[in-house]
Amino acid sequence: LTPRLLALGRVARARAVELSPVIELLERARIFQGAPRTVIEGVAAALERVEIAAGDVVVRQGDAADGLYVIESGAFEVRSSGEADGPAVTVNELEAGDYFGEIGLLERIPRTATVRCDRAGAVQRMDGDAFLDVVTRAPVTTGLLRTGAAARLARTHPGYRMAHDSATAA
């Protein structure tokens, strides 16, 4: 092999080692369950690690959906005022291996809940357009994501039917 090819192989192996913890996090989160390994590796490469301090709001209900978040560490509280825009209540508590942000991206709707960090940690953030690109390239993940998103959406907006659900219900 040429020196150039050997160097490329070393770079690829180093990148695989670097991404290994993120790939393991994605596998634990099960958000891309059933996706080919190459898709999971591509997602891992597209993620950006963000440190979050206790008390910080990561996403706010009503804001535009712009990213998917996979929790690496810390504890997060999910609060929503629901469809009726009543007082905000806690609808979920999340920790390492959990994810959020997919509902607004999949449905192209504003955030349905506010996610606040209770215990400092870190998240892996993926840009929304990159996330949607992955979902459309790996259709096996779409059904699983929609099922999970529909269950989560039912907690905050029970009257809302996801676009996919209403199409199959008719």
Side-chain angles (χ1 to χ4, degrees):
L1 294 174
T2 68
R4 185 178 182 130
L5 285 176
L6 289 171
L8 285 174
R10 281 193 300 275
V11 168
R13 282 189 299 280
R15 183 70 172 148
V17 168
E18 177 186 331
L19 291 176
S20 179
V22 179
I23 291 168
E24 290 172 16
L25 174 66
L26 291 172
E27 289 171 341
R28 273 197 332 265
R30 301 169 54 95
I31 185 170
F32 296 106
Q33 182 180 11
R37 176 75 177 200
T38 54
V39 169
I40 293 172
E41 290 170 353
V43 169
L47 292 171
E48 173 190 2
R49 187 174 192 273
V50 181
E51 297 277 338
I52 311 290
D56 284 357
V57 171
V58 184
V59 300
R60 188 173 308 280
Q61 184 173 344
D63 285 355
D66 62 352
L68 169 80
Y69 301 84
V70 180
I71 300 171
E72 185 178 298
S73 62
F76 297 79
E77 178 184 43
V78 182
R79 295 179 59 82
S80 176
S81 57
E83 295 170 296
D85 201 25
V89 296
T90 300
V91 294
N92 206 355
E93 294 179 3
L94 306 173
E95 57 189 23
D98 290 326
Y99 60 90
F100 59 94
E102 80 287 3
I103 294 170
L105 296 171
L106 289 170
E107 291 298 299
R108 295 176 174 23
I109 60 175
R111 297 286 186 203
T112 59
T114 296
V115 179
R116 186 179 64 80
C117 182
D118 283 341
R119 187 178 67 244
V123 296
Q124 293 283 341
R125 183 188 182 280
M126 182 176 202
D127 178 74
D129 290 336
F131 169 74
L132 291 172
D133 184 52
V134 166
V135 170
T136 56
R137 282 188 293 124
V140 69
T141 63
T142 304
L144 294 166
L145 275 170
R146 288 201 169 276
T147 300
R152 292 156 71 110
L153 186 59
R155 292 182 190 169
T156 60
H157 294 70
Y160 183 85
R161 291 275 184 234
M162 293 183 69
H164 179 275
D165 293 343
S166 58
T168 58

